[in-house]
Amino acid sequence: MKGLVLVEDNLEKYNNEGNNPRGVQFLLDAFKKSNISLEFVNFKNIQVIVDDEFKLYINDENKDWPDFVISIIVPEPDDYHFLSVKRMFESAGVKIVNSVETGMTAKDKLYTLMLVKSLVPEINIPKTMLVGSSTSFDLIEDLIGFPLVLKVADGHGGEGVSFIEDKENLVEILDMIFSSEKNQESYIAEEAIMASMGRDIRVVVYGGEVLYTFIRRNDNDFRSNRHQGGVFEDYQPPESLQEEALKVAGALDLNYGSVDFLFGEDENEFYLCEINTFPGFSYILSKLDEGDEDFLSTIYKGPKRFFF
């Protein structure tokens, strides 16, 4: 069995030099243990061709179709060539992790919450609204309240996220944001779930199962992301949370990725935060450093369980 891994310029360079980052090398090793070969391909070098039959050309050379395709580009680029490459594989019947539609949904935090609320209404979500230059501050106060979290709608890694304490703070921030005509970002105001300040839960799902779960915690920032200085804690989620994660993943066709939750006030109360189509390697590498063989054996079995 053979898979293609879609990468950008930097990972292509590392791979060609035999100097892959630790996480990428772990991915290669995990698949190798299941006798699955992976080929790294810069998506820019894949030609998109529509003819009487689907043909795959990489670097101008006709290639056999792979059994599956994985994208490890985070965040996935807003690039028509990239989207067309993924759509070509889907149209040719190649299994792609994750689909074009799922990738686009994951990047749009507001749309993610809309879909989940319509498809899995029992899942708790924070009160959220789109904010533009003409949005009334009074309406934001009435519908969302303070404190709140202001986010770029397609942000990643905790970037473009601000904690807003009161109306005065919100007016100051939004006036500054929308004073620039060059600002093309979309923003959302989200209810601040105070019980979850500086921590959240990441449930990693794979092939319709919960693969592993952990807490991200940051004692110095309301954002728990690793990029913002967060650390990991092991966590055994209640059965109800695992079921909710799988319902969300199923509704959004998330074959592999993470479903992130916030802690509510009650012990078994959780709020959906967002989904990610590639949760990264940091937690796995921390387990590798710890020598946690039980955990690692589960990961190594993953490709064999879900790609055969």
Side-chain angles (χ1 to χ4, degrees):
M1 177 168 279
K2 178 182 177 181
L4 289 186
V5 182
L6 301 182
V7 298
E8 290 185 292
D9 299 341
N10 59 338
L11 280 182
E12 179 189 38
K13 179 175 178 290
Y14 292 142
N15 186 250
N16 290 340
E17 294 173 350
N19 189 29
N20 287 317
R22 288 183 67 209
V24 173
Q25 191 57 50
F26 182 90
L27 179 72
L28 290 170
D29 293 342
F31 277 82
K32 186 176 181 180
K33 287 178 181 290
S34 290
N35 295 315
I36 301 173
S37 64
L38 292 180
E39 179 183 355
F40 280 47
V41 178
N42 190 326
F43 75 88
K44 299 174 185 176
N45 297 330
I46 299 176
Q47 284 72 51
V48 179
I49 301 168
V50 181
D51 202 342
D52 290 338
E53 60 179 312
F54 287 107
K55 298 177 182 178
L56 175 61
Y57 277 81
I58 301 175
N59 290 318
D60 299 338
E61 183 179 348
N62 189 206
K63 297 278 191 176
D64 293 332
W65 291 97
D67 297 293
F68 63 90
V69 174
I70 301 176
S71 170
I72 61 172
I73 304 173
V74 181
E76 290 194 344
D78 288 318
D79 183 289
Y80 190 70
H81 189 130
F82 178 75
L83 289 176
S84 297
V85 165
K86 291 185 69 175
R87 286 171 174 148
M88 179 181 68
F89 283 117
E90 286 185 343
S91 299
V94 176
K95 180 185 178 80
I96 186 162
V97 185
N98 286 281
S99 71
V100 171
E101 186 64 30
T102 301
M104 295 177 71
T105 298
K107 289 180 66 176
D108 188 332
K109 301 179 189 302
L110 184 61
Y111 185 47
T112 295
L113 297 180
M114 287 181 188
L115 278 180
V116 169
K117 204 58 189 173
S118 65
L119 298 174
V120 198
E122 65 269 27
I123 302 293
N124 293 324
I125 63 169
K127 290 181 291 185
T128 307
M129 68 181 293
L130 182 65
V131 175
S133 58
S134 60
T135 305
S136 163
F137 296 116
D138 290 337
L139 185 62
I140 296 173
E141 182 176 28
D142 289 343
L143 296 182
I144 305 298
F146 293 101
L148 59 78
V149 177
L150 188 67
K151 297 181 178 181
V152 177
D154 61 352
H156 170 73
E159 298 177 354
V161 181
S162 299
F163 182 75
I164 308 297
E165 295 183 355
D166 51 37
K167 190 174 182 179
E168 182 180 358
N169 188 199
L170 179 66
V171 171
E172 180 182 0
I173 293 292
L174 290 183
D175 280 350
M176 181 176 62
I177 287 174
F178 293 121
S179 64
S180 172
E181 293 181 0
K182 295 180 180 180
N183 181 34
Q184 300 297 317
E185 300 281 9
S186 297
Y187 294 86
I188 56 176
E190 184 177 280
E191 172 189 9
I193 307 299
M194 300 303 292
S196 203
M197 291 293 287
R199 61 179 187 149
D200 66 8
I201 306 165
R202 172 154 286 186
V203 183
V204 178
V205 297
Y206 190 13
E209 298 182 20
V210 173
L211 195 56
Y212 57 92
T213 306
F214 59 93
I215 291 175
R216 301 184 299 177
R217 177 187 294 277
N218 192 338
D219 295 331
N220 300 310
D221 197 302
F222 76 96
R223 297 167 295 181
S224 59
N225 308 70
R226 186 75 164 182
H227 296 286
Q228 309 302 329
V231 297
F232 301 131
E233 292 181 6
D234 293 337
Y235 179 66
Q236 181 56 48
E239 188 69 29
S240 60
L241 182 62
Q242 296 184 61
E243 291 175 358
E244 288 191 358
L246 292 178
K247 285 181 180 179
V248 170
L252 303 183
D253 193 28
L254 183 67
N255 183 269
Y256 170 64
S258 69
V259 185
D260 296 346
F261 289 91
L262 304 172
F263 288 93
E265 294 288 346
D266 298 332
E267 182 179 357
N268 289 315
E269 181 184 44
F270 306 97
Y271 290 80
L272 176 66
C273 179
E274 62 184 27
I275 67 167
N276 291 277
T277 52
F278 190 73
F281 298 109
S282 297
Y283 183 74
I284 294 176
L285 293 179
S286 72
K287 289 299 183 181
L288 187 64
D289 291 338
E290 294 171 10
D292 190 335
E293 294 299 330
D294 289 340
F295 174 85
L296 295 174
S297 66
T298 300
I299 304 302
Y300 283 130
K301 290 176 183 175
K304 191 169 185 177
R305 291 212 314 269
F306 300 122
F307 281 106
F308 284 131

